[in-house]
Amino acid sequence: MTDINHHELLTDMAAVIGRHDWDRLEDFYHSDAVLEYPQSGELFVGFANIRAQFANYRDLEPGTTELRDVIGGTDYALTPMYTVIAVEGSGNRGVALLRAHYPDQTWWWVINIYELRDGRIARARNFFAPEFDPPDWRAPFREKPDLPR
């Protein structure tokens, strides 16, 4: 089994998506890959459909990606489209926590659970959650996490 750098793979993929470089997207997905959005009940089978759902996203402006920091061996990258916050993975499976900036200017958190084959995504399940302000009543019990907001 080839040793896969999950951080590099997801950071590079986020940069390609952020730039709308759809011709390079195939570097990250197999031709028969499956992308699942369980919350909406959608399933995109095959690279052509995965690419089309990204490329046809309404009002999505391209952005830039930069490597912001390296902390404890974990890469953090910023992009208006997807910000890779943390990636945990070994072998052919991994989980990425991302931050997505939508055309309506809201920020959403994305959890991407993925499986690789030959260093490219063969299957991914993405879960989406909008950012929201915490309720005041929890203030006495919380600490501020070390995550961008």
Side-chain angles (χ1 to χ4, degrees):
M1 173 174 28
T2 305
D3 196 21
I4 298 162
N5 185 325
H6 291 256
H7 297 102
E8 185 177 312
L9 177 75
L10 272 289
T11 299
D12 290 350
M13 187 175 83
V16 164
I17 292 170
R19 288 192 312 268
H20 292 194
D21 189 358
W22 309 128
D23 291 335
R24 291 245 4 256
L25 194 60
E26 195 167 20
D27 294 348
F28 304 96
Y29 286 96
H30 272 278
S31 60
D32 62 347
V34 175
L35 176 60
E36 184 179 350
Y37 294 165
Q39 289 168 289
S40 63
E42 295 172 284
L43 189 68
F44 303 96
V45 179
F47 174 73
N49 290 321
I50 292 169
R51 176 185 168 148
Q53 70 87 29
F54 279 115
N56 290 289
Y57 197 104
R58 288 183 175 199
D59 302 321
L60 189 62
E61 296 294 326
T64 60
T65 301
E66 64 184 44
L67 184 64
R68 180 176 181 179
D69 203 355
V70 177
I71 301 170
T74 301
D75 294 334
Y76 292 82
L78 299 177
T79 172
M81 174 60 181
Y82 276 80
T83 300
V84 177
I85 303 301
V87 180
E88 296 288 332
S90 63
N92 288 321
R93 294 177 184 230
V95 177
L97 175 61
L98 305 111
R99 202 168 166 229
H101 192 222
Y102 279 76
D104 67 359
Q105 303 307 306
T106 59
W107 285 94
W108 288 61
W109 289 91
V110 181
I111 298 172
N112 179 350
I113 303 168
Y114 61 91
E115 299 171 20
L116 303 175
R117 183 174 5 108
D118 304 320
R120 291 190 292 162
I121 295 173
R123 181 173 191 94
R125 292 175 189 93
N126 290 354
F127 298 86
F128 304 86
E131 285 190 350
F132 57 88
D133 292 325
D136 291 337
W137 68 266
R138 288 198 302 236
F141 313 109
R142 67 175 170 243
E143 294 181 20
K144 184 168 175 60
D146 188 23
L147 294 172
R149 185 128 194 247

